[in-house]
Amino acid sequence: MGLFVLVMAGVLVGAAGIGIVGVKRYRSKNAGTEKSSNPKQLEESFRTIHELRLNDVILLDDTSYIVGEVRILTEGGRRWAEAPMTDGDSDSWISLAEGETVMVGRKVTDLSLGDIPPAALDYDGQIYQLKRHGQAKQICQSSGDKQNEKVDDSSTIDYWQYARSGDERLSVRRTAQRADGTSTRETEIFVGKMIANYLVEWLPGS
């Protein structure tokens, strides 16, 4: 079984060449039954879907990705992770908070917003109602130009979370202020749905 997992990891890494994020709880088959002399390996054995890291690998809808960027957001006692997913054809997105579901969506650019997004948004003929609005601290971890280089970039973002019947969601992210005090007001909009986290296969990276 161990050999099979290693082979599959190699296949996924070879098939993926673009930055992405990973989600399923991972635990080594022998975790707890065999002692490891490698602290890092032992730590990896008990990592969960909420501890995303660069170079993790995911498989979603028969497409594999390598995590090239992770955004960690905090607001009071809340903490969640988000990451872009690009397969060359579309800009997808994944958002992880505590619980048994994750949001998987795509980035859209054909929705116009004013200075303050309204309580209801009409997108593609569907009405989404505002469920939550707030401001969070964000740390973006991305791969640098050099191998194994990690670049941290911090900022403050305003967010608006919308929902409609069923599991459909729409999220708005707008940069309020960067760490250097500047404000670009960059806006990102994502439309998607909530799915069970076990539907996303995940393998820890190097």
Side-chain angles (χ1 to χ4, degrees):
M1 182 64 180
L3 179 59
F4 175 77
V5 171
L6 289 174
V7 171
M8 287 301 296
V11 171
L12 287 174
V13 171
I18 310 174
I20 270 310
V21 110
V23 291
K24 189 174 179 182
R25 178 183 177 91
Y26 170 83
R27 179 171 176 172
S28 171
K29 177 182 177 181
N30 296 319
T33 61
E34 292 184 2
K35 293 183 179 180
S36 173
S37 58
N38 188 327
K40 182 177 179 180
Q41 183 179 14
L42 183 60
E43 178 186 0
E44 291 290 310
S45 298
F46 290 91
R47 198 144 57 88
T48 73
I49 63 174
H50 303 292
E51 300 172 283
L52 303 177
R53 296 179 185 175
L54 296 178
N55 299 319
D56 283 349
V57 179
I58 66 166
L59 178 64
L60 178 63
D61 294 332
D62 297 324
T63 302
S64 57
Y65 309 88
I66 296 177
V67 179
E69 179 180 332
V70 178
R71 303 182 186 183
I72 306 299
L73 298 102
T74 56
E75 180 190 27
R78 296 181 64 231
R79 180 185 183 279
W80 68 99
E82 299 181 345
M85 301 193 302
T86 306
D87 62 8
D89 298 321
S90 63
D91 290 324
S92 299
W93 188 258
I94 194 164
S95 179
L96 298 167
E98 293 296 333
E100 299 300 322
T101 59
V102 300
M103 176 185 170
V104 176
R106 59 186 175 87
K107 187 174 182 178
V108 298
T109 58
D110 55 349
L111 177 61
S112 298
L113 296 173
D115 290 338
I116 301 178
L121 283 175
D122 183 346
Y123 179 72
D124 199 23
Q126 305 295 331
I127 303 298
Y128 293 82
Q129 301 291 335
L130 180 64
K131 297 301 181 181
R132 189 183 187 104
H133 164 56
Q135 189 173 84
K137 298 291 185 181
Q138 173 180 273
I139 296 178
C140 178
Q141 298 179 346
S142 60
S143 300
D145 294 332
K146 299 178 181 179
Q147 186 176 9
N148 298 323
E149 179 185 22
K150 185 175 73 174
V151 178
D152 290 351
D153 183 24
S154 62
S155 59
T156 301
I157 67 161
D158 293 314
Y159 69 87
W160 293 261
Q161 296 177 347
Y162 294 82
R164 65 180 303 272
S165 59
D167 298 323
E168 297 182 56
R169 300 289 187 270
L170 185 150
S171 293
V172 177
R173 302 285 184 269
R174 180 172 287 167
T175 304
Q177 188 176 47
R178 305 187 67 82
D180 59 6
T182 61
S183 177
T184 61
R185 302 298 292 172
E186 178 183 0
T187 300
E188 295 178 306
I189 305 171
F190 304 93
V191 175
K193 62 181 180 179
M194 303 300 293
I195 65 171
N197 57 33
Y198 65 79
L199 295 177
V200 185
E201 298 291 336
W202 169 72
L203 287 171
S206 57

